[in-house]
Amino acid sequence: MLMGKGALKGEVTTSYICHLVDQINSGGIWFGDDPLAFSVPLLLLQLSLVSIFTRSIYFVLKPFGQPLIVSQILGGFILGPSVIGRSPTFATKVFPPKGRALFETLSLFGFMLSVFLIGVKMDPYILLRSGKRAIAVGFLAFSVPYALAGFVAFVLDHFLSLDPDVSSALPFVVALQTLTAFPTVACFLDELRLLNSEIGRLASSSSIVCDVCHWSIFAMKFLTHLASQRSIRISFGFLLSVALFVVIVFFGVRPAVLWAIRQTPEGEPVKEAYVFAVLISVLVCGFIGEVIGLNAFIPSFLLGLVIPDGPPLGAALVEKLDCFVSDILMPIFFTVCGLRMDIFAIQQFKNVATIQLIVFLAFTGKIIGSALPPLFCRMPVLDAISLGLIMNSKGVVELFLLMAWKTEEVLNEECFAIMIISVVIVTGIVSPLVKVLYDPSKRFLAYRRRTILHHRQGEELRMLACVHRQENVSAILDLLAASNPTKESPINLVVLHLIKLVGRASSLLVSHQPREKPSSTQYPSQSERIFNAFHKFEKHYSEHVTVHCFKGISPSSTMHNDVCSLALEKRSTFIIIPFHRIWVNGSVAETSHSLRHLNKNVLEKAPCSVGVLVDRVNRRKYLSSLRINTSLYRVAVLFFGGADDREALAYAGHMSKHSNILTTLFCFSSSTDIVEGSARSKALDTDVLSKFRLSAFRDDRVSFEEVGVSSGEEVLDVLRSMDGAYELIMVGRRHGESWLMAQIAKWKDRGDLGAIGELLASSDIRVAASILVVQQQTRVWGLRDPEESMHLQRDSTNPRQDA
């Protein structure tokens, strides 16, 4: 009964759509009677159906970790001859031969632009930067499944009576399953937000190596086939034409592109004429490719490859085309793949079992080949398996090859349907498994205390400063100068310039290498200007400060991975990140939601203590931080209680040793508990306050003020009185629940900086000073409670004790 109702509902839906098509055709706009004539309203209806079906399926499958490509293929599958398209009325009216020709033309045009954008985003020099591990992974990820699946295919073909069509298709099945296309891997990593993770970078580099191996074998087979099937004259003419085209692209088009980039000042948008010229070049290259015997896609990819990734031209092309291609044209391409598949063409289970056996063996072989080098390098087993799963991902390149082989009748209807199903199954399995097995944030777990409170005297203070723009530099330099770098306690500083990934397919985290001979006509880039300021700071403090500069290019959503992984690698004690709001003349001039998301993730996952630096100084009083040596610099610490306040007080105590820094501690108290906390926490508060009182008694530059408050309004009065009295105000981020914090929360939500930090960073209180909101390290292996003993509980069986 239920099936009868479902079938009846489907028939009603199909009849309604067909009736709508009849109305469209009766009043549609037609362009002549040639075979390519097509109704514009009908095209819009087709696009609407594609969008409705794919989005509905994606909404259902998303909770199960399925990527968008699976929903798009299934949408075409439902619209195709396997489900709704099995109705002759629906097939002839909604997807008639006239309409289908234009529909498939749009899909191929979308694929051509997609391939071009992949070339633009791709950094060809990543192959040269690939380490031994990436080369080993890429080579074994190709050779192991190729040998294993190829051997089994050879045995099956020679010792079993296979269907002739399946027998001829097996070499192509092996070739497809051994392919790990960089565009597919890059899109897969981007969707899983793993581009700038350790495994993401390794997969990106390894996939390019695997691509080189695969396409080298494919090219040799093609040339051998061409020489055996065609005359030497035709073969030589083809090779000469291809070589001439490559020379023109690399030595003609690329210099012109570089000239256009040099004409664009840094930070300025590229001229529309340059973008238009590039788009015309894409069409011309595609046409030339078809003329000389290549398809239109390889020339488009080569043209994109010679355009430098990132700003200004590469980013402009991606910005203008990416949304149109990925959201409109590529769904058409994936839908066409589903429309071409007829599941009822599968007639023999033997053929399904044969092809799926090859797919399974290649899948397993690729996991083994990809996992062996990382395991040899002592990567965790689950991470190595996740890498193998990522290298098995399938996408747009594999689907295009299947469609091309079907058009060339290399694959019959049955083999094509089986292979499309295998692509959907593999992709549907890989995506949720990787999400379950691999979590990049687990790597950011330190195995010892990395806080200023636990920092030993006489050791260098390791700090990581994050910079987004030049406006962040001066406030950070002032804070570093106030940190009192000396011979007894030097500062080892890592500067990380964070850049949003635009117009690139792979993320980047590299050490900055200064240019040996900067050109007099070439202005320094933004990164160079930022790093130059920190190098001047390093020279000013001679041997007391060591600066290491890094550049991180990654998506905003996963930028925190660069910060946390670099902090873990460099064993940083303290991370400085700028606040997401910028003040001009006492009011908020700019707010960045992406930077707020970054700061939130860093605070949650950092392997050490973190300080959010809020710069509310309109005009820097201590330019380049050099005048701190000759002028007084006043620091205030607000102490309510808790681990974060203790960390802020420890940092202030480190600063107080500077001869020109005046440090004042405001210790808030009340007749009842100012903030709630465990007995252990209160004991630690008492201990650090006692030590600071003793320091204040011995040093005139350090003062201690106990402030009794009975309401939140009195706290606000104290904060307002600090305007103009201090250059730096420090406070902890988190405070326990209490009546006082509840009152303060009525005026300002706690937000990302906590109750007091949000008040100081808001426009409600006028404070012309830098504000540092401190959070003590929250994630330590073996310590569930941050209030535990200062000494780390170790596990002698863990190999990463010194991380």
Side-chain angles (χ1 to χ4, degrees), residues 112 237-238 240-249 253 280-300 302-303:
M112 184 177 75
F238 170 76
L240 183 62
S241 300
V242 172
L244 182 61
F245 174 78
V246 172
V247 169
I248 292 174
V249 169
V253 177
I280 294 297
S281 301
V282 175
L283 300 178
V284 172
C285 287
F287 175 75
I288 294 175
E290 294 289 345
V291 169
I292 65 177
L294 290 172
N295 54 41
F297 311 111
I298 295 177
S300 300
L302 289 176
L303 179 64

Side-chain angles (χ1 to χ4, degrees), residues 648-666:
L649 185 57
Y651 194 9
H654 190 82
M655 293 179 177
S656 64
K657 299 174 184 178
H658 196 293
S659 58
N660 288 354
I661 291 182
L662 304 181
T663 307
T664 303
L665 172 63
F666 292 88

Side-chain angles (χ1 to χ4, degrees), residues 485-516:
T486 62
K487 184 178 180 180
E488 293 74 23
S489 181
I491 291 179
N492 189 311
L493 176 66
V494 176
V495 181
L496 176 60
H497 183 202
L498 294 167
I499 304 172
K500 181 181 178 181
L501 187 144
V502 178
R504 295 175 58 95
S506 56
S507 62
L508 190 68
L509 179 61
V510 294
S511 175
H512 173 72
Q513 301 296 331
R515 287 180 287 186
E516 295 182 0

Side-chain angles (χ1 to χ4, degrees), residues 697-717:
F697 179 75
R698 294 175 177 176
D699 193 342
D700 293 338
R701 292 178 288 105
V702 180
S703 57
F704 183 101
E705 293 187 21
E706 187 164 353
V707 182
V709 292
S710 58
S711 66
E713 188 65 40
E714 294 182 7
V715 176
L716 289 178
D717 292 338

Side-chain angles (χ1 to χ4, degrees), residues 638-646 666-668 674-677 681-682 684-686 688-689 731-736 741 787:
L638 309 179
F639 193 95
F640 294 86
D644 293 349
D645 279 0
R646 294 196 296 272
F666 292 88
C667 181
F668 291 85
I674 204 83
V675 293
E676 294 182 0
S681 178
K682 294 183 181 301
L684 291 174
D685 288 345
T686 303
V688 296
L689 287 174
V731 66
R733 174 174 176 260
R734 299 163 302 166
H735 300 99
M741 294 301 159
E787 308 290 358

